[in-house]
């Protein structure tokens, strides 16, 4: 299987912006094991701005573009340093790919990065993708890594997109506010109701939230790709996903639905 895994800032960092070492170590171990089992893995990782905030000792996530971009430039190094070190322990080689919205709109650029990624996978490397935050202004940015991960998963013909986040999946209401909220195990169609209860986004350090995850799910589903949202607090949950045990919320890709009916 070719699997795209997206990991968010809230999974990779503490609230301080400093790296959650235990979490990132276990993520790298599980992904290495999944590669050892013969799967192809593409990792879309946030965390550059968050880690830059920690490393530059900023008090909070910056609001202005130049400081955000500066934090991303610092944090991206820290992020890749950690991935390089941890994946090396399990004999896996990482490759950094930084993309912007333009790379998906411009046919030539799109072709170029897809070819590079295909070749990296053929060479058994593990591509680690993030938005190229230092050059992405709002007009040309994809904007959030949930959407970026769906565009990558579709472009690379992934069999599955797994989004690791800080909640167990999609709920009928916000489980932080409503104790009656129930996890939805399977979504075949994104409804207006889901979009309405998804609300706004993110934590103090990150961009996304349930709204961007639903937007990502729509891109994946329309292209016939399954997407699963699971809680990244325990990266071992990826074994459940791959071994077919119930986990999180599965958004069923459209082609599959048509084949089943
Ligand atoms: N590219 C941003 C970063 O690495 C994250 C964007 C997002 O959280 O969706 O910090």
């Amino acid at each position: 299987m070719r699997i795209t895994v997206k990991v968010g800032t809230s999974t990779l960092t503490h609230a301080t912006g400093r790296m959650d070492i235990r979490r990132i170590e276990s993520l790298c171990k599980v992904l290495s094991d999944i590669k050892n089992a013969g799967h192809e893995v593409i990792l879309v990782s946030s965390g550059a701005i968050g880690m830059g905030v920690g490393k530059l000792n900023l008090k909070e996530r910056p609001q202005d573009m130049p400081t955000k971009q500066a934090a991303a430039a610092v944090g991206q190094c820290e992020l890749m340093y950690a991935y390089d070190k941890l994946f090396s322990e399990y004999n896996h080689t990482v490759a950094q790919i930084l993309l912007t919205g333009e790379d998906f709109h411009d046919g030539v650029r799109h072709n170029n990065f897809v070819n590079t990624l295909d070749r990296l996978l053929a060479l058994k490397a593990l591509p680690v993708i993030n938005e190229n935050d230092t050059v992405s202004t709002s007009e040309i940015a994809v904007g959030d890594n949930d959407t970026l991960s769906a565009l990558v998963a579709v472009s690379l013909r992934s069999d599955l997109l797994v989004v690791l986040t800080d909640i167990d999946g999609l709920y009928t209401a916000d489980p932080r506010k409503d104790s009656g909220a129930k996890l939805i195990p399977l979504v075949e169609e994104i409804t207006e109701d889901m979009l309405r209860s998804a609300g706004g986004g993110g934590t103090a350090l990150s961009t996304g939230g349930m709204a961007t995850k639903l937007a990502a799910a729509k891109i994946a589903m329309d292209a016939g790709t399954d997407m699963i949202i699971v809680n990244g607090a325990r990266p071992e949950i990826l074994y459940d996903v791959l071994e077919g045990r119930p986990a999180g919320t599965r958004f069923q890709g459209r082609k599959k639905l048509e084949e089943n009916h």
Side-chain angles (χ1 to χ4, degrees):
M1 279 229 289
R2 181 173 285 190
I3 309 149
T4 298
V5 177
K6 187 262 173 178
V7 60
T9 304
S10 57
T11 301
L12 295 172
T13 60
H14 292 287
T16 54
R18 292 280 179 182
M19 191 184 295
D20 187 328
I21 296 172
R22 185 168 38 174
R23 195 73 70 63
I24 200 166
E25 280 189 351
S26 99
L27 175 69
C28 292
K29 185 174 173 183
V30 172
L31 291 178
S32 295
D33 200 22
I34 288 173
K35 268 179 72 66
N36 287 352
H39 299 294
E40 290 179 328
V41 177
I42 300 160
L43 180 60
V44 176
S45 177
S46 305
I49 298 176
M51 284 188 195
V53 167
K55 214 155 187 215
L56 290 167
N57 287 317
L58 306 179
K59 280 194 208 66
E60 54 187 15
R61 186 186 162 96
Q63 296 306 318
D64 68 296
M65 193 54 94
T67 319
K68 257 192 218 171
Q69 292 178 317
V74 170
Q76 184 66 26
C77 292
E78 169 98 339
L79 198 56
M80 287 313 295
Y81 171 72
Y83 283 134
D84 195 14
K85 180 170 172 286
L86 294 169
F87 281 115
S88 294
E89 285 178 13
Y90 301 102
N91 269 319
H92 288 291
T93 301
V94 293
Q96 172 185 263
I97 316 264
L98 299 175
L99 301 171
T100 68
E102 285 184 325
D103 298 315
F104 294 92
H105 297 138
D106 179 310
V108 176
R109 292 169 72 145
H110 186 258
N111 220 11
N112 283 343
F113 89 74
V114 169
N115 287 341
T116 304
L117 278 158
D118 271 330
R119 183 55 54 87
L120 283 167
L121 293 171
L123 292 166
K124 309 276 179 234
L126 197 163
V128 182
I129 301 178
N130 196 356
E131 178 126 33
N132 193 354
D133 292 312
T134 54
V135 298
S136 298
T137 48
S138 49
E139 308 82 64
I140 61 159
V142 175
D144 69 87
N145 276 9
D146 295 323
T147 307
L148 177 65
S149 69
L151 294 173
V152 166
V154 170
S155 299
L156 268 294
R157 310 167 307 282
S158 296
D159 299 295
L160 183 65
L161 167 61
V162 185
V163 175
L164 298 173
T165 188
D166 57 358
I167 186 167
D168 288 347
L170 180 69
Y171 281 81
T172 50
D174 185 344
R176 289 164 186 136
K177 294 179 193 142
D178 183 345
S179 59
K182 292 210 167 43
L183 183 78
I184 305 172
L186 179 69
V187 174
E188 295 184 340
E189 183 93 51
I190 294 172
T191 62
E192 285 302 315
D193 238 23
M194 288 175 190
L195 292 171
R196 217 170 309 118
S197 62
T203 57
L205 286 172
S206 69
T207 313
M210 205 39 85
T212 55
K213 286 177 183 56
L214 290 182
K218 183 158 178 11
I219 295 170
M221 289 165 90
D222 285 350
T225 306
D226 279 10
M227 173 175 136
I228 299 188
I229 299 180
V230 286
N231 198 325
R234 216 179 47 85
E236 290 78 7
I237 198 162
L238 285 165
Y239 292 123
D240 293 339
V241 169
L242 291 181
E243 289 159 16
R245 286 185 288 277
T249 301
R250 177 183 283 264
F251 296 82
Q252 186 119 42
R254 220 163 283 289
K255 262 186 257 142
K256 275 240 187 69
L257 278 179
E258 280 153 24
E259 278 161 21
N260 289 348
H261 287 168

